[in-house]
Every structure is written in structure tokens, then in C-alpha cells.
């Protein structure tokens, strides 16, 4: 699936039937699958938030796939981490800063080169319905 | 308000631009008024593969604001992605803070206006980036990303405000604090200070919260006041008619001065916040906080308290003098030269603020230096100059930029207090008007003013009226 400029989904016909191959097979075992399941409503809600349109078959597939992913996380959650500090960052701790110095791009017009449409120096998009 | 039976409960979310030279995560200029898309780069128009790097100055300004509002400054805070689709948001998410904001708790103190100062508690202050600007045309929308990535402080209050007027007072105080800590120049250009209001009502005396309406994107203090008052009235009418208030998000229509509900499509409240993977956690060392604390100015609430207790000024004068940092600084620069700080207060509130307001410029641009104002008042205290002559000199100095001494010299405004010079003028006047002197001595007291006027006229208006009074009384009695 690919999102086109106008926000609708262009169908290419060869969407990959993706199944994460990095997860242990046990996670996909229906017997060990988590009680938590992603419902069709949740799939449709997330799809709407992401502005993608799904076919009936895709909806079904995602319902299973997302539930499996959640099941995998549930599996990880079985590990007792109560005594482990969360790791937010690996490597050098501390915040990398930028000084408050203006370094404007030398060619701001170049920033509009990828715009699907423009009017003068403004990006032009389909009218936003208020 | 429409009904005494109800009390309003108001909380505000304020978005204030932090005055940095460059944007929050890239080096593009933040300068207002540039041509469209002049200050844009791959980072702030959301090109794939770019990485944000945090502007230290923006963090410092947000911390200074946090210190001014008595917040707890978090040594460890994280940025989060707030995802939603709108054409002015090029990445499809805004970098904000959600869990673990930079500043937590705290309060803003409002002047008491006769009573004790009131504290409005804060929930948090966090850092985030602004979005671009949409220009809606008939058949298309145009987007300018100059504002995209400009640093904002989002300041969230507890629902501690009770009226539209109090909300405006709170906004004035926030604006004042931003200027005091150097986070804003106080010139509220378009979009530099925006506010969302949460408004509910409840029976007066109740401690439960009613259902709130959120009013979005108010960009002037006047609109905040109108929108809140409209909303309170609307909610009272619903309750009085036996209805229930639905939880809604409204937009204020400044032309019709009403609020209207937004369609649910216009706000997806599911922002799917998650920690921003492109930015490491924001770590603020105790040393950095202490360094910032050490350079904090005296704040409006502290100045208000000091002006009242040490200088004996009233609430009204204190309020006007402290609202703008530059006005308070000007006033304080005058005090050392003067015996009576109240005369400096009156001078600033009348002469100085009048020309500042008329010119629309800053005090430094519009008015002669504080030391020159003080020099004029010092001469008034020493009776070398009448107050009216001081005002004349001040008006001339605004235009000429000359010193007080040179101006008074040039305009010949020095007041004559020399008793012998005044005495001889008095003698001459009395000698020329023997009939009136006789009438006065016969009981026509009103003639005293006539003699004062004649002496003043003879001395070209420059004599000290107090000395004239003394001398004339002695001579007429004798």
C-alpha cells in the first residue's frame, strides 16, 4: 500500500503478505496466543487515523497480525522487569544541544522542489474543509 | 454574569512563542514577517531522514519560565510524538512532551486588587514545536512553513480561574512573566500567544466539576474574555432550561462573537503519543538549573510586594508600574535621585506612559532616559522648577533628546525662589495697586489670588508660587 499525494491509498496489487519473521514461532501458536485480541473496530479506527483504506481481506489479515504482535509483546511482558531501570538511551548519556544560531538554508526555493503544487513561494494543497 | 446561582470553572492552556533566534530543532530563523517559506529547511518541512537537534536556548527559556512560575524543573524529561494529519504539520506529527514534561506543578500569583494575592496553580509547562500556517483560498489551501518548528512553551493551568476577567488577568500575568524572564518581547504578533480555554459551570458553593467545553485557538485576550463570557452564558441557559451540557470542542467566531461546536472530524483526540525516537531524553543538570536560577530577575509579584511595603504605593499604581518589566526598571532607575518615590510613580504613570502609549514604541525608544526624568523631578523637589515647567521640559526632551539641564536652560524654565527678587516684585505690584490693597485689607480676601497672579506675571511665570504666597501674606498683613 502506498499513500498518494491526495491522501487516498493507491493499490498496487502486490501488497506483501507480511508476517514478521523475527518472532519466535511460539508466539503464533494459537494455543499460547494472548487473551488480548485486536478487534475489527480497533483496526478500522487505527486505519482511519492513518488515513488508509483497507479491503475486507486486509482488515481480517490485520486483525490477526496485530493480535499476534500484541501476543508477542505479552510474551515479553512475562519477564519480570520490576527491578530493572528502564533504558531510554544507550551510549553517551546527556543531551546533545544546538546553539541558538541561525543557519538558514542557502536556497529556500529548493525546499519547494518536491511540492506537488505551489503558488509562488507557498505550498499548495487541496482545500482544507473547515 | 447572567446568573448569581452559578460559578464558572476555567482552566487555560496557553501556547507562547519562546523568543529564540533559531527554531527548536533546526537552524532556521524564527523572525516574524519574513516572506513565505524563507525560513525553511529539510528538518522543519519534514523531509525523510532528517534528525532534530534541540536548541539549548529554548530549553533555557522554558526553564526560566518554569522557575518564574515556581515549577519543579525535571532533571529528566522526554519528547513525544503527537500524531495527527493536517497540511500545516509536515511530518504528520508534532514533537511535543507528554509524559515527563520539563516543568511540573507551580503557580502564578495574581495581584490582589485590594485583597490578598491569588495563586493560580499550574499543571505543567512543556516544550513543543509550532506548526506552519494555512492560508485558505477559494479552491485550495496554501501553506507557509516559516512558523513550523518555532519553539513554544505550553503552559497548562489547573481549573482555578473563576471568571473571564480573572482569566484575562492571568494571561496578562503570564505575558508579563514571559517578558521578565526574557522569553518574549511582549509584542504579541499574530499567533505568538494562543490560548485554549476549558470552561464549565457549577452551582455556586459546589465543589464538583461540571461538564466542560473546550474553546480552541483564541489568539487575543479580548477574544478570550468574550468567548468565556459567551460560553458561561450559553451553559447557564442550557442548565436553566433543564438541559445537559455535552462535552464538546468549540471554535470562537470573532466576527459574530459566538462559539460553535467543531465537527468531530475536526479534532481527533487520539494522538497516539509515544516517545520521540529521534531525540534522546532531555537531561537538565542541577548546575544548569542553578545557573539559570542565579540569573533570574526580580519578578512582578515580588516587585508588587516591595513597592507596596517599602515605597508605600497603592495597588493600582503598583499594578501599572510592574506589569511591564521595562516600565518597572525605568521607575526604579529614577528612585535613587529622589526623596519621594511617589512623585516618580506619578511621573511614570502620567508623563512617561502617555508618550509610550501614544508612540506605540518601547519605553527606551519613546522616552528620555530615566535619569533625565529623575533630574527634572529632583529640580521640582528642590523647588528650582515648577511641576508644570517640568512637564513642558519633558515634552520638549521627547522631541529634542537633549538633557534636562540643557532643556530648562534653553526654555528658560528655572523657577525663581530667591526671596529678595520675589519681594521686590511684590512691593512693585502692591505699590501700583493701592486701591486694591485697601480693599483687601478691608476684607476682600479673594483679591489675594489677583496679587499672586500679578506678581507671577511680572516675573514671567517663573517665580516659586509658595514663596510668592509667603511674601505677599507678610507684606499685606504688615
Amino acid at each position: 500500500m502506498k499513500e498518494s499525494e491526495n491522501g487516498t491509498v493507491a493499490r498496487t496489487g502486490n501488497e506483501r503478505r507480511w508476517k514478521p519473521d523475527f518472532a519466535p514461532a511460539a508466539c503464533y501458536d494459537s494455543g499460547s496466543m494472548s487473551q488480548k485480541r485486536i478487534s475489527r473496530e480497533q483496526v478500522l479506527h487505527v486505519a482511519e487515523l492513518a488515513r488508509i483504506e483497507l479491503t475486507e481481506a486486509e482488515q481480517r489479515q490485520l486483525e490477526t497480525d496485530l493480535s499476534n504482535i500484541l501476543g508477542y509483546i505479552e510474551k515479553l511482558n512475562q519477564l519480570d522487569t520490576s527491578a530493572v531501570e528502564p533504558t531510554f538511551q544507550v551510549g553517551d548519556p546527556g543531551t546533545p544541544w544546538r546553539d541558538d544560531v541561525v543557519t538558514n538554508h542557502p536556497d529556500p526555493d529548493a525546499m519547494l522542489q518536491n511540492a506537488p503544487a505551489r503558488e509562488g513561494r507557498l505550498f499548495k494543497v487541496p482545500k482544507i474543509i473547515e | 454574569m447572567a446568573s448569581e446561582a452559578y460559578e464558572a470553572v476555567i482552566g487555560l492552556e496557553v501556547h507562547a512563542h519562546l523568543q529564540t533566534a533559531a527554531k527548536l530543532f533546526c537552524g532556521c530563523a524564527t523572525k516574524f514577517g519574513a516572506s513565505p517559506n524563507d525560513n525553511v529547511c529539510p528538518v522543519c518541512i519534514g523531509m525523510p531522514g532528517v534528525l532534530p537537534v534541540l536548541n539549548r536556548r529554548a530549553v533555557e527559556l522554558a526553564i526560566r519560565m518554569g522557575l518564574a512560575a515556581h515549577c519543579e524543573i525535571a532533571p529528566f524529561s522526554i519528547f513525544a510524538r503527537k500524531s495527527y494529519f493536517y497540511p500545516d504539520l509536515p511530518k504528520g506529527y508534532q514533537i511535543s512532551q507528554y509524559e515527563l514534561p520539563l516543568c511540573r506543578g507551580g503557580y502564578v500569583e495574581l495581584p490582589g486588587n485590594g485583597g490578598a494575592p491569588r495563586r493560580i496553580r499550574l499543571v505543567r509547562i512543556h516544550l513543543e514545536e509550532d506548526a506552519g500556517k494555512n492560508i485558505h483560498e477559494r479552491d485550495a489551501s496554501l501553506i507557509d512553513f516559516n512558523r513550523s518548528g518555532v519553539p513554544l512553551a505550553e503552559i497548562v493551568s489547573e481549573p482555578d480561574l473563576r471568571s473571564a476577567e480573572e482569566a484575562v488577568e492571568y494571561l496578562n500575568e503570564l505575558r508579563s512573566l514571559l517578558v521578565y524572564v526574557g522569553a518574549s518581547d511582549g509584542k504579541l504578533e499574530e499567533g505568538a500567544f494562543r490560548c485554549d480555554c476549558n470552561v464549565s459551570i457549577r452551582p455556586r458553593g459546589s465543589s464538583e466539576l461540571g461538564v466542560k467545553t473546550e474553546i480552541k485557538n483564541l489568539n487575543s485576550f479580548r477574544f478570550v474574555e468574550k468567548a468565556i463570557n459567551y460560553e458561561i452564558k450559553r451553559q447557564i441557559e442550557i442548565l436553566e432550561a433543564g438541559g445537559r451540557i455535552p462535552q464538546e470542542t468549540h471554535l470562537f467566531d470573532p466576527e459574530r462573537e459566538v462559539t460553535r461546536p467543531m465537527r468531530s472530524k475536526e479534532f481527533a483526540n487520539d494522538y497516539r503519543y509515544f516517545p520521540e525516537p529521534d531525540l534522546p531524553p532531555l537531561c537538565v543538570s542541577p548546575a544548569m538549573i542553578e545557573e539559570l536560577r542565579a540569573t533570574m530577575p526580580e519578578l512582578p509579584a515580588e516587585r508588587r510586594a516591595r513597592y507596596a511595603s517599602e515605597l508605600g504605593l497603592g495597588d493600582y499604581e503598583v499594578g501599572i508600574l510592574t506589569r511591564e518589566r521595562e516600565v518597572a526598571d525605568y521607575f526604579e532607575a529614577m528612585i535613587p535621585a529622589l526623596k519621594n518615590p511617589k512623585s516618580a510613580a506619578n511621573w511614570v504613570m502620567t508623563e512617561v506612559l502617555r508618550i509610550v502609549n501614544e508612540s506605540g514604541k518601547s519605553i527606551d525608544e519613546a522616552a528620555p532616559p530615566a535619569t533625565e526624568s529623575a533630574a527634572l523631578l529632583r529640580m521640582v523637589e528642590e523647588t528650582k522648577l515648577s511641576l508644570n515647567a517640568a512637564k513642558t521640559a519633558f515634552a520638549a526632551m521627547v522631541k529634542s533628546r537633549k538633557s534636562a539641564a540643557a532643556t530648562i536652560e534653553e526654555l528658560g524654565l528655572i523657577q525663581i525662589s530667591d526671596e529678595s527678587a520675589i519681594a521686590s516684585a511684590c512691593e512693585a505690584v502692591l505699590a501700583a495697586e493701592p486701591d486694591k490693597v485697601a480693599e483687601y485689607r478691608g476684607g476682600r480676601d479673594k483679591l489675594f489670588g489677583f496679587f499672586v497672579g500679578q506678581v507671577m506675571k511680572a516675573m514671567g511665570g517663573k517665580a516659586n508660587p509658595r514663596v510668592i504666597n509667603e511674601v505677599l501674606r507678610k507684606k499685606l498683613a504688615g
Side-chain angles (χ1 to χ4, degrees):
Chain A
M1 286 169 291
K2 162 173 169 292
E3 202 174 334
S4 71
E5 288 82 355
N6 59 13
T8 60
V9 174
R11 308 203 48 79
T12 57
N14 59 350
E15 281 83 24
R16 197 173 145 231
R17 291 273 141 188
W18 51 270
K19 180 174 273 191
D21 53 8
F22 48 81
C27 292
Y28 294 97
D29 182 332
S30 57
S32 75
M33 187 97 81
S34 135
Q35 308 82 334
K36 278 197 186 167
R37 282 203 55 88
I38 295 284
S39 68
R40 184 65 62 95
E41 285 69 35
Q42 285 170 307
V43 170
L44 291 172
H45 179 60
V46 173
E48 194 191 337
L49 290 173
R51 304 288 193 275
I52 54 175
E53 208 178 319
L54 299 172
T55 63
E56 169 67 27
E58 285 168 335
Q59 290 172 25
R60 200 167 39 238
Q61 180 70 38
L62 280 166
E63 210 178 314
T64 311
D65 290 349
L66 291 175
S67 295
N68 285 346
I69 292 167
L70 207 63
Y72 177 52
I73 303 297
E74 291 265 305
K75 184 85 183 167
L76 290 178
N77 275 345
Q78 288 171 11
L79 195 65
D80 180 11
T81 57
S82 57
V84 181
E85 281 283 309
T87 301
F88 288 87
Q89 191 177 12
V90 289
D92 201 13
T95 304
W97 304 107
R98 161 194 288 284
D99 286 333
D100 186 27
V101 175
V102 173
T103 53
N104 262 16
H105 196 277
D107 182 13
D109 201 62
M111 298 301 112
L112 283 100
Q113 294 304 309
N114 287 336
R118 56 189 283 183
E119 191 169 306
R121 282 288 293 284
L122 290 152
F123 290 85
K124 190 173 178 179
V125 298
K127 186 174 165 57
I128 304 161
I129 298 147
E130 288 282 325
Chain B
M1 208 59 270
S3 169
E4 286 301 308
Y6 294 96
E7 168 181 77
V9 177
I10 303 159
L12 300 185
E13 288 170 27
V14 171
H15 294 85
H17 274 179
L18 295 172
Q19 202 173 15
T20 53
K23 291 184 180 180
L24 186 53
F25 298 118
C26 63
C28 290
T30 58
K31 205 169 160 43
F32 180 79
S35 302
N37 292 309
D38 247 5
N39 302 329
V40 297
C41 75
V43 173
C44 57
I45 60 169
M47 290 290 177
V50 296
L51 286 173
V53 182
L54 188 57
N55 181 335
R56 184 184 171 108
R57 177 79 183 147
V59 176
E60 289 174 350
L61 292 178
I63 293 175
R64 285 171 74 82
M65 188 58 195
L67 291 171
H70 313 277
C71 301
E72 182 199 334
I73 310 301
F76 180 92
S77 66
I78 56 176
F79 286 95
R81 288 189 180 180
K82 178 182 182 178
S83 298
Y84 63 94
F85 283 109
Y86 210 63
D88 61 12
L89 190 72
K91 298 190 295 297
Y93 59 85
Q94 177 194 30
I95 304 179
S96 178
Q97 296 194 292
Y98 187 59
E99 291 171 299
L100 306 181
L102 181 56
C103 311
R104 272 167 277 187
Y107 61 87
V108 169
E109 192 172 286
L110 303 187
N113 296 334
R118 286 153 303 148
R119 285 186 178 180
I120 308 304
R121 292 168 303 149
L122 297 187
V123 179
R124 60 194 279 157
I125 301 177
H126 71 243
L127 261 177
E128 62 184 31
E129 56 177 346
D130 206 349
K133 192 178 158 213
N134 299 307
I135 301 151
H136 301 295
E137 299 217 313
R138 247 162 75 87
D139 49 3
S141 292
L142 306 174
I143 307 157
D144 175 4
F145 287 114
N146 281 346
R147 215 176 63 190
S148 169
V150 168
L152 292 175
E154 178 169 334
I155 305 161
V156 183
S157 85
E158 295 280 359
D160 284 355
L161 299 158
R162 293 290 172 270
S163 69
E165 295 69 30
E166 195 171 55
V168 171
E169 242 184 276
Y170 167 78
L171 291 174
N172 270 317
E173 189 67 16
L174 275 190
R175 178 177 162 277
S176 194
L177 286 176
L178 285 162
V179 175
Y180 268 73
V181 302
S184 163
D185 62 5
K187 288 178 194 146
L188 303 180
E189 289 121 352
E190 192 189 350
F193 200 90
R194 307 194 294 274
C195 176
D196 299 341
C197 305
N198 291 306
V199 181
S200 66
I201 58 168
R202 64 185 175 194
R204 197 170 289 280
S206 161
S207 59
E208 275 172 46
L209 292 174
V211 178
K212 70 179 182 190
T213 304
E214 184 179 6
I215 312 168
K216 283 258 182 223
N217 228 9
L218 297 159
N219 59 14
S220 87
F221 292 6
R222 203 167 51 86
F223 290 165
V224 169
E225 187 168 6
K226 283 183 190 295
I228 291 176
N229 277 333
Y230 176 85
E231 187 55 31
I232 292 171
K233 189 161 163 279
R234 190 186 72 87
Q235 292 187 11
I236 289 174
E237 281 167 9
I238 292 176
L239 291 190
E240 292 284 284
R244 284 182 54 221
I245 294 156
Q247 179 145 3
E248 283 176 334
T249 301
H250 281 222
L251 269 184
F252 181 66
D253 178 345
E255 272 162 37
R256 291 166 51 224
E257 297 186 356
V258 299
T259 69
R260 62 167 179 85
M262 290 168 82
R263 285 193 304 271
S264 61
K265 288 271 179 199
E266 290 174 304
F267 65 100
N269 269 328
D270 192 343
Y271 293 124
R272 293 151 292 151
Y273 284 100
F274 68 94
E276 165 60 272
D278 286 346
L279 285 164
L282 170 52
C283 298
V284 180
S285 69
M288 179 174 170
I289 297 173
E290 287 322 305
E291 205 181 300
L292 291 168
R293 199 191 300 277
T295 57
M296 288 290 283
E298 189 185 22
L299 295 167
E302 294 155 11
R303 282 193 168 176
R304 284 196 293 265
R306 188 164 59 82
Y307 288 5
S309 66
E310 286 177 20
L311 305 178
L313 300 178
D315 278 351
Y316 176 73
E317 295 155 300
V318 166
I320 291 182
L321 291 173
T322 55
R323 176 152 292 171
E324 306 284 344
R325 180 180 177 177
E326 57 172 28
V327 174
D329 288 346
Y330 190 99
F331 167 64
E332 291 200 26
M334 287 179 69
I335 296 177
L338 301 170
K339 289 196 195 92
N340 183 4
K342 281 187 185 171
S343 65
N346 287 335
W347 183 261
V348 171
M349 289 168 58
T350 53
E351 302 312 306
V352 179
L353 286 182
R354 182 172 62 238
I355 62 130
V356 170
N357 294 337
E358 280 171 1
S359 69
K361 291 182 193 156
S362 74
I363 201 163
D364 292 338
E365 292 165 337
T371 47
E372 294 303 315
S373 270
L376 287 174
L377 283 190
R378 173 100 186 141
M379 284 187 266
V380 174
E381 281 185 351
E382 288 167 347
T383 71
K384 288 180 188 157
L385 199 63
S386 73
L387 189 58
N388 276 334
K391 290 177 182 178
T392 307
F394 184 78
M397 286 156 66
V398 167
K399 293 196 185 78
S400 72
R401 297 272 138 187
K402 287 182 183 162
S403 71
T407 305
I408 286 157
E409 176 82 40
E410 201 173 293
L411 300 180
L413 293 169
I414 282 290
Q415 178 168 274
I416 299 163
S417 296
D418 174 27
E419 212 175 304
S420 63
I422 292 172
S424 56
C426 290
E427 277 159 23
V429 166
L430 297 184
E433 303 281 355
D435 297 351
K436 293 221 162 62
V437 172
E439 277 182 58
Y440 176 83
R441 288 187 172 141
R444 272 195 72 191
D445 290 350
K446 279 184 181 170
L447 280 169
F448 190 76
F450 166 79
F451 296 127
V452 173
Q454 290 301 106
V455 174
M456 193 57 105
K457 198 171 149 193
M459 298 195 69
K462 291 173 198 167
N464 182 335
R466 191 178 47 80
V467 180
I468 299 178
N469 280 322
E470 277 169 23
V471 172
L472 274 176
R473 279 202 201 284
K474 257 186 251 163
K475 292 201 179 295
L476 285 164

